[in-house]
Amino acid sequence: MRDYLTKSNLPVSDYVVNPYVGCPHGCKYCYASFMKRFTAHDEPWGSFVDAKMCDKPINIKKIAGKEVFLSSVTDCYNSAEEKKERQMR
Ligand code: SF4
């Protein structure tokens, strides 16, 4: 079962949530572009955004009192957000 929450090894958080694979920005300084190797995309980093489709909601009890980092390897407030929301309705 896929989960939006991923246990984090970052010193600043207990969990991370990356709702997208990829990012539309392609910043020159991006430290997350290595994520492309875990996708099937041939396009350059910054050219694709795939919404993660998880089959269970985030367990609020699990993150109570924990630090949750939104978007360690994407931008969760990107321009595709509105379009993806409409597709899911
Ligand atoms: S993940 Fe962040 S740094 Fe990388 S391209 Fe997206 S917005 Fe830029």
Side-chain angles (χ1 to χ4, degrees):
M1 195 175 248
R2 293 187 69 196
D3 194 339
Y4 287 107
L5 283 176
T6 302
K7 190 84 178 119
S8 173
N9 291 322
L10 298 170
V12 295
S13 65
D14 300 298
Y15 293 96
V16 295
V17 175
N18 285 293
Y20 297 103
V21 176
C23 185
H25 304 303
C27 302
K28 295 270 188 241
Y29 54 82
C30 184
Y31 60 87
S33 57
F34 72 92
M35 290 298 293
K36 182 186 165 185
R37 80 176 75 123
F38 302 110
T39 76
H41 287 277
D42 292 329
E43 314 94 292
W45 182 256
S47 302
F48 60 89
V49 179
D50 297 331
K52 280 190 186 170
M53 302 304 289
C54 298
D55 43 15
K56 64 179 182 180
I58 291 174
N59 182 342
I60 299 299
K61 289 181 182 171
K62 188 174 178 179
I63 60 174
K66 305 288 186 185
E67 300 284 340
V68 179
F69 186 161
L70 294 178
S71 295
S72 60
V73 290
T74 187
D75 173 10
C76 66
Y77 304 107
N78 70 68
S79 57
E81 182 79 6
E82 185 180 5
K83 182 178 166 192
K84 300 283 185 192
E85 182 185 6
R86 270 191 257 121
Q87 290 172 345
M88 293 174 67
R89 287 184 181 181

